[in-house]
Amino acid sequence: LGGEDRRQGEKTFARWLEVETWRRPEISDMSSIMMAVESACKTLSALVKRAQTDDLAGMYHGGDSGGVNIQGEAQKKLDVVSNRIMVAQLCSPGGLSCVASEEEEYPQMCSTVVGHSAFTGEYAAVFDPLDGSANIGAGLPCGTIFGILKRPPGGKVGPRTVMQSGKRLLAAGYCLYGGQTNLVLTLGNGVQQFTLDPKRGEFVLTQPNMRIPIRGSLYSANEANSHAWDGRIQDYVNDLKTGRGPSGQQYQSRYNGALIADIHNILHYGGIFLYPADNKNPNGKLRLLYEGNPIGMIVEQAGGAASTGFQRILDVPPLNTHHRIPTFFGSPEDVYDLCAYLKRPL
Ligand code: P6P
């Protein structure tokens, strides 16, 4: 790394956050929460690596907890442990009043988690502690997705804080546990990527101000469900394959089966991620609070678009904490093309 790059590579997450809060005093009271998020991601990165190397205490392989989460998905012990780590580490600084997890049926009050009423701050966190955990057994990528909200003016702190639309998010991001561990986040002023330096045990700034290409050449979708998609989405994807789409170029298919890995790919190379409604998921599979909104904020802050096909994801008012939506993320030109197909008569 030379010059600016080398200096960037030396800027730890803590140093970057210090400068950012100096520049923007209005975010300073989120600082301790963001440091707790960073710490939780370091813990979970180590946990995933151990589960993949020595499968600590059978936490993954054959490590079913015997439980089923609110989504009806079998929970690995790793899912349960990851969730407990996120809840405990995020509640510890005191700035949060409640946390809502994809793994839990209801939001939890931090004062209950910690057992003291002092832990009732102005903020709330939403997260998916280990998204794509089914990939772990094969050593493939998975990750953590998070978002931070503040109680609405005059509102009470508590579960209602998490039931705000995504445009109210103050911070969002993901941590991708793959070949590298990459923490990609926004505090509402651009997208930054930090990479975990295993020697120093620190996240260092490696991609300041990430921008998604205005149009890409990748599409990412589970085409096993395509027979059940809206016919206009089938037409859109077929045109991407044959080069008959508006761009005239032929797209390549890439699909990891873990949202964060697919989104990270699309952020770097451009293109579109699609999880449409289908016969198994009539409202789409991905959850608005834990996936749609935090990833939607990241993609928009990087210059991209996040749509249900008919509406901006960040404008969708949550109906409940497990509200699912059809989900399209990516380069603005690609998402707009998809939405134009959906304006065609059925
Ligand atoms: P499918 C993982 O379970 C997840 O929630 C997302 O990370 C991912 O994008 C999607 O589901 C994969 O779903 O139906 O293709 O296995």
Side-chain angles (χ1 to χ4, degrees), residues 73 102 128 130-135 145 221-225 255-263 273-275 278 280-281 285-287 291 324:
E73 298 156 343
E102 189 198 89
D128 183 353
L130 209 53
D131 180 78
S133 59
N135 274 357
I145 309 173
N222 181 345
E223 292 196 69
N225 304 322
Y255 194 64
N256 291 276
L259 177 63
I260 301 173
D262 289 318
I263 292 301
F273 172 91
L274 310 93
Y275 211 108
D278 58 43
K280 289 178 291 184
N281 299 286
K285 175 178 182 182
L286 301 186
R287 275 66 50 156
E291 292 156 319
R324 294 173 190 252

Side-chain angles (χ1 to χ4, degrees), residues 167-245:
K167 61 192 166 197
R168 306 279 301 170
L169 279 166
L170 297 171
Y174 61 83
C175 195
L176 177 60
Y177 312 122
Q180 295 172 332
T181 293
N182 284 319
L183 175 60
V184 176
L185 60 83
T186 179
L187 300 184
N189 186 30
V191 177
Q192 323 299 328
Q193 174 184 289
F194 299 86
T195 303
L196 187 61
D197 175 345
K199 286 195 286 298
R200 294 166 60 184
E202 290 289 356
F203 278 105
V204 294
L205 183 64
T206 46
Q207 290 255 339
N209 198 25
M210 288 175 77
R211 301 296 290 173
I212 192 169
I214 194 163
R215 179 183 284 284
S217 57
L218 300 180
Y219 76 92
S220 197
N222 181 345
E223 292 196 69
N225 304 322
S226 63
H227 62 285
W229 293 346
D230 179 307
R232 297 167 294 185
I233 297 174
Q234 292 171 350
D235 293 344
Y236 171 74
V237 171
N238 288 333
D239 288 353
L240 293 184
K241 292 176 181 177
T242 57
R244 286 201 306 266

Side-chain angles (χ1 to χ4, degrees), residues 14-262:
R15 175 66 183 142
W16 173 84
L17 188 60
E18 187 184 4
V19 172
E20 196 67 13
T21 47
W22 174 75
R23 281 198 187 120
R24 300 167 61 208
E26 70 277 12
I27 66 167
S28 55
D29 58 354
M30 261 202 309
S31 197
S32 61
I33 297 170
M34 295 315 299
M35 288 306 291
V37 168
E38 187 222 18
S39 174
C41 289
K42 285 179 186 174
T43 306
L44 293 180
S45 176
L47 194 66
V48 167
K49 296 247 179 309
R50 280 187 62 197
Q52 288 171 336
T53 50
D54 60 15
D55 188 16
L56 66 165
M59 204 171 279
Y60 182 74
H61 294 289
D64 274 355
S65 67
V68 173
N69 67 12
I70 177 62
Q71 319 295 341
E73 298 156 343
Q75 281 183 312
K76 299 283 181 193
K77 287 177 191 151
L78 204 56
D79 289 320
V80 174
V81 171
S82 303
N83 185 54
R84 288 188 182 144
I85 288 168
M86 278 298 279
V87 169
Q89 291 204 224
L90 266 58
C91 282
S92 61
L96 294 178
S97 61
C98 82
V99 291
S101 167
E102 189 198 89
E103 294 291 334
E104 305 266 1
E105 185 160 5
Y106 302 108
Q108 297 178 76
M109 296 299 288
C110 285
S111 54
T112 307
V113 170
V114 179
H116 195 289
S117 59
F119 290 79
T120 307
E122 295 279 292
Y123 294 86
V126 293
F127 52 78
D128 183 353
L130 209 53
D131 180 78
S133 59
N135 274 357
I136 290 177
L140 295 176
C142 63
T144 299
I145 309 173
F146 61 89
I148 306 294
L149 292 150
K150 189 168 189 174
R151 81 178 163 89
K156 274 165 56 35
V157 291
R160 298 298 303 162
T161 310
V162 303
M163 291 294 287
Q164 300 178 76
S165 57
K167 61 192 166 197
R168 306 279 301 170
L169 279 166
L170 297 171
Y174 61 83
C175 195
L176 177 60
Y177 312 122
Q180 295 172 332
T181 293
N182 284 319
L183 175 60
V184 176
L185 60 83
T186 179
L187 300 184
N189 186 30
V191 177
Q192 323 299 328
Q193 174 184 289
F194 299 86
T195 303
L196 187 61
D197 175 345
K199 286 195 286 298
R200 294 166 60 184
E202 290 289 356
F203 278 105
V204 294
L205 183 64
T206 46
Q207 290 255 339
N209 198 25
M210 288 175 77
R211 301 296 290 173
I212 192 169
I214 194 163
R215 179 183 284 284
S217 57
L218 300 180
Y219 76 92
S220 197
N222 181 345
E223 292 196 69
N225 304 322
S226 63
H227 62 285
W229 293 346
D230 179 307
R232 297 167 294 185
I233 297 174
Q234 292 171 350
D235 293 344
Y236 171 74
V237 171
N238 288 333
D239 288 353
L240 293 184
K241 292 176 181 177
T242 57
R244 286 201 306 266
S247 71
Q249 64 181 16
Q250 205 169 348
Y251 282 50
Q252 297 298 309
S253 171
R254 294 284 182 277
Y255 194 64
N256 291 276
L259 177 63
I260 301 173
D262 289 318

